[in-house]
Amino acid sequence: MSELNMDQKQQKHFVLVHGVSIGAWCWYKLKPQLESVGHKVTPLDLAACGINTNKIEDVHTFSDYSKPLLEFLASLDPNEKVVLVGHSFGGVSVALAMEKFPEKIAVGIFLTAFIPDTQHNPSYVLQQYVERYPLTGWLDSEFSFSGNKMLLLPGTKFLSTKFFQLCSTEDLELVKILRRTGSLFVENLSEAENFSKERYESVPRVYIVSNNDLAIPLEFQQWMIQNAGINEVKVINGGADHMVMLSKPQELCLSLLEIAKKYH
Ligand SMILES: *[C@@H]1O[C@H](CO)[C@@H](O)[C@H](O)[C@H]1NC(C)=O
Ligand SMILES: *[C@@H]1O[C@H](CO)[C@@H](O)[C@H](O)[C@H]1NC(C)=O
């Protein structure tokens, strides 16, 4: 009980940001675990994701895509600081949030995520990814264009062999039902200004590696960690695929609690 009655100072607020084509629903195992030890948890749907009612064709800029997160941070109490967690493509929205609201974020946690640097423009890590891992590796996924955006819908074969390969069949069923067409907004991000040392890099950043991720392979995670100059790295060992929050929720929970404790 003492844990549940933790005083306000110890209570952390975790804000969770999903990856492309997924939604807030992917955190359904982690949220009650963090709450059971007394923390506050807000999983968000970005525009045209999860149950957000926008259509991806109508979301023209990366800023608009990230708007639910930016608006949420803007609405916080002026003295509140959150623990911001971005998974996969959600890392880029987390970086944008750190650039816009560095004072509201105690630590930015990148969970097997795309993590931008300040030497290149914001699309750089995405462009490197697409160069090294051609989209043909996305098997039965569907690609199309809408205005200046490339759209993608992950195929069920791709999801079962590269994204959710260590998840339960039930979780795989969930994504087959709930997946939505998304975009990495590479074109729009390539026109954006670099993230800055003064704002984005002023917030502590921690990277959580997933060893058995086949969607963002280990070597690419390691390259991004070096490229972005991240010093603090945690590892979720064997048994976690790309969807760490579904395949290893307990290990992830412990890792997040450790990080949150250090940065308050
Ligand atoms: C911003 O990114 C561009 C393009 O990647 C790069 O050429 C430039 O040097 C960067 N600017 C700074 C201030 O690092
Ligand atoms: C691309 O992004 C910039 C901001 O970085 C925005 O001002 C612009 O309207 C966007 N353009 C398109 C066509 O999406």
Side-chain angles (χ1 to χ4, degrees):
M1 268 337 268
S2 60
E3 278 177 325
L4 287 174
N5 294 334
M6 68 169 64
D7 65 58
Q8 290 297 313
K9 266 194 207 135
Q10 284 173 298
Q11 191 192 47
K12 311 284 190 312
H13 186 174
F14 291 85
V15 177
L16 310 176
V17 184
H18 62 79
V20 69
S21 297
I22 315 287
W25 59 266
C26 76
W27 306 103
Y28 82 97
K29 289 176 180 167
L30 182 73
K31 181 173 182 278
Q33 289 192 18
L34 289 169
E35 286 171 344
S36 73
V37 287
H39 298 298
K40 193 171 162 184
V41 184
T42 306
L44 293 168
D45 274 331
L46 298 181
C49 297
I51 57 169
N52 179 283
T53 52
N54 286 117
K55 290 206 321 215
I56 191 72
E57 289 80 1
D58 300 330
V59 181
H60 298 298
T61 69
F62 182 71
S63 255
D64 286 346
Y65 172 72
S66 306
K67 207 170 180 180
L69 170 61
L70 302 177
E71 285 184 345
F72 179 77
L73 291 173
S75 75
L76 291 174
D77 207 77
N79 298 317
E80 187 175 0
K81 274 183 190 266
V82 301
V83 175
L84 189 52
V85 183
H87 172 241
S88 193
F89 182 53
V92 188
S93 296
V94 162
L96 179 64
M98 289 161 89
E99 181 71 27
K100 300 226 184 245
F101 302 102
E103 70 288 353
K104 291 179 184 282
I105 302 163
V107 55
I109 303 176
F110 294 79
L111 172 61
T112 190
F114 290 105
I115 181 163
D117 62 77
T118 56
Q119 315 299 319
H120 303 92
N121 71 41
S123 65
Y124 178 65
V125 289
L126 298 168
Q127 283 165 329
Q128 287 293 312
Y129 176 77
V130 175
E131 243 169 66
R132 295 183 199 194
Y133 307 99
L135 292 174
T136 47
W138 283 53
L139 306 174
D140 56 343
S141 303
E142 293 166 34
F143 299 94
S144 56
F145 281 90
S146 162
N148 73 340
K149 286 197 303 289
M150 188 177 78
L151 304 184
L152 63 93
L153 178 66
T156 55
K157 195 165 153 197
F158 171 70
L159 288 167
S160 65
T161 58
K162 298 217 171 160
F163 242 71
F164 284 65
Q165 84 275 9
L166 298 173
C167 289
S168 68
T169 48
E170 290 84 356
D171 288 337
L172 181 61
E173 264 333 295
L174 269 185
V175 72
K176 286 183 184 173
I177 295 167
L178 298 174
R179 73 199 157 121
R180 291 182 66 179
T181 297
S183 176
L184 300 178
F185 292 89
V186 174
E187 299 77 4
N188 192 247
L189 282 166
S190 71
E191 296 164 7
E193 270 182 41
N194 306 10
F195 293 115
S196 70
K197 289 195 187 307
E198 298 71 27
R199 299 181 67 83
Y200 164 59
E201 275 193 354
S202 72
V203 183
R205 294 175 298 168
V206 179
Y207 201 96
I208 302 181
V209 163
S210 173
N211 270 338
N212 295 86
D213 190 341
L214 299 178
I216 301 184
L218 179 60
E219 56 174 8
F220 195 72
Q221 295 175 55
Q222 286 167 338
W223 174 79
M224 284 192 289
I225 287 166
Q226 282 217 316
N227 178 63
I230 305 302
N231 300 316
E232 193 165 352
V233 178
K234 303 240 173 227
V235 180
I236 307 282
N237 276 312
D241 51 17
H242 187 57
M243 301 303 291
V244 185
M245 69 293 274
L246 295 173
S247 52
K248 285 280 163 192
Q250 218 155 353
E251 290 75 1
L252 175 60
C253 182
L254 289 175
S255 192
L256 292 177
L257 290 173
E258 238 175 79
I259 298 166
K261 197 169 172 191
K262 183 165 169 192
Y263 298 96
H264 47 263

